[in-house]
């Protein structure tokens, strides 16, 4: 089985995980505006805790977005740098997919509408269904105002996961339960990356790119 280091800094949460021998170990914390200071020490700590080194790994995975612009850039840069240094492939994983996988892992949800607050009165969102223990994207990832969120065919047991559900009163899609306080976890990124690794979907470090969904995310307010 592969040995995969996963990291995520796309939201207020900061987490790292190791996929080892088919199991996932994780360090997770809520660290707004501290990601750049804390992510490398967290990586060093989890590797030391489990007696691993960068050279012993098979791949590096990271939350490639969507999410906070700066946070996604941090994760991308760290993953690229570590992969270059250790000559490892990189596996970019959607943060929305990670949220959907958390919904399956933590709540047993088979159908998840994953959302992240995108600020500027918009949310990132995507619909996922479980297939043999792995959440699979149905349709496309999108960014839109809460009122514009749609699911083509809404299942009876749809569960909402992620901070976009803070706008629940403005989202017309009905859900049986929603969990707006949940964040993407590196543990779920690691699991999804193990599936991608088995499919040989790793890429070279320079090809590991972030996904923002919103073209003007980096523009200054007066340029919008």
């Amino acid at each position: 089985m592969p040995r995969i280091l996963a990291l995520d800094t796309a939201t207020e949460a900061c987490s790292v995980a190791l996929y080892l021998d088919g199991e996932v170990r994780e360090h997770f914390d809520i660290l707004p505006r501290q990601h750049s200071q804390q992510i490398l020490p967290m990586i060093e700590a989890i590797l030391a805790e489990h007696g691993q080194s960068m050279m012993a790994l098979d791949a590096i995975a990271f939350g490639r977005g969507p999410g906070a612009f700066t946070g996604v850039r941090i994760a991308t840069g760290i993953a690229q740098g570590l992969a270059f240094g250790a000559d490892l492939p990189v596996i970019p994983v959607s943060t929305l997919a990670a949220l959907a996988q958390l919904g399956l892992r933590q709540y047993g949800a088979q159908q998840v509408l994953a959302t992240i607050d995108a600020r500027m009165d918009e949310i990132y969102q995507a619909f996922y269904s479980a297939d043999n223990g792995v959440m699979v994207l149905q349709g496309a990832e999108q960014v839109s105002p809460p009122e514009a969120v749609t699911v083509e065919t809404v299942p009876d047991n749809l569960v909402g996961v992620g901070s976009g559900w803070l706008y629940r009163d403005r989202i017309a899609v009905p859900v049986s339960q929603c969990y707006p306080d949940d964040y993407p976890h590196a543990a779920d990124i690691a699991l999804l990356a193990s599936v991608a690794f088995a499919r040989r979907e790793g890429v070279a470090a320079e090809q590991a790119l972030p996904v923002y969904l919103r073209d003007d995310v980096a523009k200054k307010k007066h340029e919008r």
Side-chain angles (χ1 to χ4, degrees):
M1 293 185 178
R3 299 180 179 185
I4 300 173
L5 170 69
L7 59 128
D8 180 65
T9 59
T11 64
E12 292 90 338
C14 185
S15 59
V16 299
L18 278 175
Y19 183 88
L20 297 173
D21 303 321
E23 297 183 357
V24 180
R25 291 83 163 174
E26 182 188 54
H27 290 182
F28 176 94
D29 206 349
I30 305 298
L31 297 170
R33 297 178 297 279
Q34 299 180 53
H35 301 80
S36 59
Q37 293 85 12
Q38 298 298 325
I39 187 66
L40 285 174
M42 289 176 72
I43 290 171
E44 292 171 359
I46 199 168
L47 289 173
E49 181 180 328
H50 297 286
Q52 300 297 311
S53 68
M54 292 301 304
M55 303 308 296
L57 300 176
D58 295 299
I60 296 173
F62 74 103
R64 51 83 163 155
F69 178 70
T70 300
V72 173
R73 285 183 62 187
I74 290 170
T76 303
I78 294 294
Q80 288 178 328
L82 294 176
F84 271 126
D87 192 25
L88 294 173
V90 182
I91 304 173
V93 175
S94 166
T95 46
L96 290 170
L99 273 173
Q101 194 69 32
L102 179 146
L104 175 61
R105 171 172 62 88
Q106 193 155 304
Y107 309 115
Q110 299 295 302
Q111 316 277 344
V112 171
L113 183 54
T115 69
I116 296 173
D117 186 354
R119 312 303 181 187
M120 297 191 293
D121 206 38
E122 291 184 322
I123 62 174
Y124 302 118
Q125 28 102 7
F127 173 49
Y128 291 82
S129 293
D131 182 8
N132 293 320
V134 176
M135 297 306 274
V136 178
L137 178 65
Q138 309 296 316
E141 297 180 343
Q142 301 178 54
V143 58
S144 71
E147 292 83 358
V149 174
T150 60
V151 173
E152 186 172 344
T153 302
V154 180
D156 294 335
N157 59 345
L158 182 63
V159 173
V161 179
S163 59
W165 287 99
L166 293 169
Y167 299 98
R168 182 174 185 176
D169 292 344
R170 297 170 56 189
I171 298 174
V173 178
V175 291
S176 58
Q177 297 287 336
C178 73
Y179 302 93
D181 297 326
D182 283 329
Y183 296 96
H185 278 244
D188 299 297
I189 290 172
L191 177 61
L192 292 170
S194 71
V195 176
F197 184 87
R199 296 172 179 167
R200 301 183 183 275
E201 294 176 358
V203 299
E206 64 272 16
Q207 296 176 311
L209 302 177
V211 171
Y212 300 119
L213 290 187
R214 188 161 55 200
D215 291 338
D216 66 347
V217 70
K219 291 182 181 178
K220 296 178 181 178
K221 181 179 287 188
H222 72 271
E223 294 177 318
R224 294 193 187 109

